[in-house]
Amino acid sequence: MRRRQILTASAMAMAGLAGCTGGDSTNEADTEGSPVVTTVEEFYTTLYENNDIEGANAMYHPDTESREMRPSDFEPFGGIESIKATIVSTEVVSQTDSTAEVHVEVTYNTPLGSATNEDWLTMRTNDGEWFVDYYLSDEARSDMSQAEIEEVMNQS
């Protein structure tokens, strides 16, 4: 099923950084400190600063169809401990009381090189807390049609 392939590619593409360049989002206005942005920042911190794949997996919505990340997803880049990520900016593209779409410009540094990419996340609440629902990296989106991207981003 194409949707399962997209979700698998999205999870694996978190580490798919070599040779990719991202967008040039500069919108930081009015998003700093919002609960949804705080959750996004905690997700990246947990995964890339703390090297805690299980902790990042725990930040996915309980009802997401995204597969859990595994250490093997990051092995081509020297393992999770070899990947450093710095959030350059975040933009909350749309938000309701229970869903949000967030674009995150991130600079990744790996033993293979550096790249600045724009990751897209959909977020959903559960018991009043924000969770990651879907993650689409620059790399994953480049292999998808606009209709496929919209389908995934509108799942929440």
Side-chain angles (χ1 to χ4, degrees):
M1 172 194 283
R2 179 73 176 146
R3 183 172 172 201
R4 180 55 65 186
Q5 292 171 335
I6 291 168
L7 298 176
T8 299
S10 296
M12 292 177 67
M14 290 192 82
L17 313 170
C20 295
T21 59
D24 35 47
S25 171
T26 57
N27 184 350
E28 296 179 39
D30 301 324
T31 58
E32 286 186 30
S34 78
V36 70
V37 170
T38 298
T39 301
V40 168
E41 291 170 347
E42 288 174 5
F43 179 77
Y44 281 89
T45 297
T46 300
L47 187 58
Y48 294 109
E49 280 185 38
N50 300 341
N51 304 319
D52 184 358
I53 296 170
E54 291 306 313
N57 283 333
M59 296 182 76
Y60 274 91
H61 192 278
D63 296 329
T64 189
E65 293 187 28
S66 295
R67 77 160 178 82
E68 289 191 345
M69 295 176 286
R70 299 179 299 243
S72 61
D73 296 335
F74 303 94
E75 286 175 6
F77 306 95
I80 189 66
E81 62 280 350
S82 296
I83 303 170
K84 302 300 174 212
T86 304
I87 294 176
V88 176
S89 65
T90 56
E91 177 183 6
V92 178
V93 176
S94 63
Q95 184 173 350
T96 67
D97 289 340
S98 61
T99 64
E101 179 179 336
V102 181
H103 294 184
V104 185
E105 185 177 3
V106 183
T107 299
Y108 291 99
N109 291 295
T110 74
L112 301 176
S114 298
T116 300
N117 297 338
E118 185 176 78
D119 300 337
W120 293 4
L121 296 92
T122 58
M123 309 292 289
R124 229 183 346 157
T125 59
N126 185 47
D127 292 331
E129 291 185 47
W130 287 100
F131 290 87
V132 175
D133 197 25
Y134 292 100
Y135 166 88
L136 286 177
S137 68
D138 241 352
E139 184 175 334
R141 290 191 320 276
S142 71
D143 293 334
M144 300 168 65
S145 70
Q146 187 61 35
E148 290 170 323
I149 293 169
E150 289 175 12
E151 178 185 347
V152 172
M153 296 307 289
N154 291 323
Q155 292 298 315
S156 295

